[in-house]
Amino acid sequence: MDKFIIEGNGPLNGEIAASGAKNAALPILCAALLSDEPLTVTNCPALWDIGTTKKLLAQMGVTVTQTDPHTIVLDAKPITTCVAPYELVRTMRASILVLGPLVARRGEAHVSLPGGCAIGARPVDLHLMGLEAMGAEITLEGGFIHAKCRKLKGAHIVFDTVTVTGTENLMMAATLAEGETILENAAREPEVVDLARCLRAMGAKIVGEGTTTIRIQGVTNLHAATHRVLPDRIETGTYLLAAAVTRGRVRVNKTDPSLLDAVLVKLQQAGAKVQTGVDFIDVDMQGRRASAVNIHTMPHPGFPTDMQAQMMAMNCVAEGVGVIKETIFENRFMHAQELTRLGADIRIEGNTAVITGRERLQAAPIMATDLRASASLVLAALAADGETLIDRIYHMDRGYEDIEGKLSALGARIKRIAKLI
């Protein structure tokens, strides 16, 4: 199992380019199941989760062709099975996104229940409720969701809570349903908007994405299309936080500043000089230590839960006391215990973390527990004296393309090693 060794060595400085967004690419790849004509996806990041999705679709019979490192062509016409097996679904909860497209296009789906998750329960009941409202028959047996319907019907669906994958699953299903589907209290995340753009390129009739009410008028079939995945706002934010943690300057190119409004506000509060252009963001700490900030995670357009761990890492070395309230997932402070091994001063009170910043942290062996926790540990290690060993970095490979290469380009001392003897 690979590990990182990171030596804290002062401010990072330089420019890198953002990759495509993992959380946008995954549902878009699944959208290929809605058509018998090819879907070409460009700017697709080279990540573990993308590879898992390709395997999942290929085992269903989808022809998956990687034409270059970031372009994938999918042809679902030769599909042979509507089963998503446990051995693939258990490694990635986003596999549930095949459910809606399969029922809508093929009339049936047999998808393994995703099971537990390190950062919280994340149930799929809202997905099932929506499909039932559209006429699908749903049964749970042997750890599988069995869904079937001759033809889905449009429905008025109100989500009890905001769900990103639930919104995406039902939006895809509704594209081929008979009549109009209205999704209320829908997720507003940029990744939902990007999926809607892709579906529209395929011939879907969708309006309202990016608002709490999305309307989909079902069509008979979808056609071939090419779609470019939007830049990864979480990856972008992570590298910008690396500048804040190390008192450096980092510019991220090929990104979209409008996707990170809430994060950029907090960086400015922390004392960073922030400059933006059409496709770049530049964060400059001008050699100064960051000031602690308070954050409260919320659905988009609030502060994203996927940036909470990275902001905690900044607060660990910031001046003052920062308070972080996590409202999205009930178990997303698992990185705090590892950060304290580096000398961080963190007090957890339910869903609130109180962090008193220290001038520097101290290197120690630590272990990643989930994707974004991994990012926070890497950032903290950049501001720790000595060599920090981070174990279980396969989490990082799920969501960050060549993170060691990009950080090295900014001047970080980071290397990947195989299992130590």
Side-chain angles (χ1 to χ4, degrees), residues 11-87:
L12 298 187
N13 194 298
E15 300 184 18
I16 55 172
S19 298
K22 172 183 83 83
N23 289 341
L26 296 178
I28 286 169
L29 294 177
C30 294
L33 293 167
L34 290 164
S35 176
D36 281 348
E37 297 182 17
L39 173 64
T40 301
V41 183
T42 67
N43 199 36
C44 196
L47 300 169
W48 184 286
D49 278 6
I50 298 298
T52 299
T53 303
K54 288 164 57 180
K55 289 178 184 176
L56 177 60
L57 295 173
Q59 70 86 35
M60 291 179 180
V62 177
T63 300
V64 180
T65 306
Q66 188 91 39
T67 60
D68 67 46
H70 300 106
T71 301
I72 302 172
V73 180
L74 307 108
D75 183 356
K77 186 174 183 179
I79 191 171
T80 56
T81 178
C82 294
V83 176
Y86 174 70
E87 57 266 24

Side-chain angles (χ1 to χ4, degrees), residues 275-304:
Q275 292 184 304
T276 62
V278 174
D279 63 350
F280 76 87
I281 306 172
D282 188 291
V283 167
D284 188 359
M285 294 303 297
Q286 300 178 313
R288 296 192 299 264
R289 184 182 179 191
S291 299
V293 298
N294 300 330
I295 67 169
H296 183 153
T297 64
M298 296 178 66
H300 192 77
F303 191 91

Side-chain angles (χ1 to χ4, degrees), residues 234-273:
I234 305 303
E235 183 207 34
T236 297
T238 299
Y239 291 121
L240 298 177
L241 260 294
V245 167
T246 65
R247 311 184 192 186
R249 178 177 183 175
V250 171
R251 173 171 166 148
V252 180
N253 298 313
K254 296 185 179 179
T255 191
D256 183 348
S258 69
L259 305 178
L260 286 121
D261 288 343
V263 174
L264 297 184
V265 166
K266 291 302 175 182
L267 280 166
Q268 289 174 321
Q269 290 176 5
K273 180 182 177 181

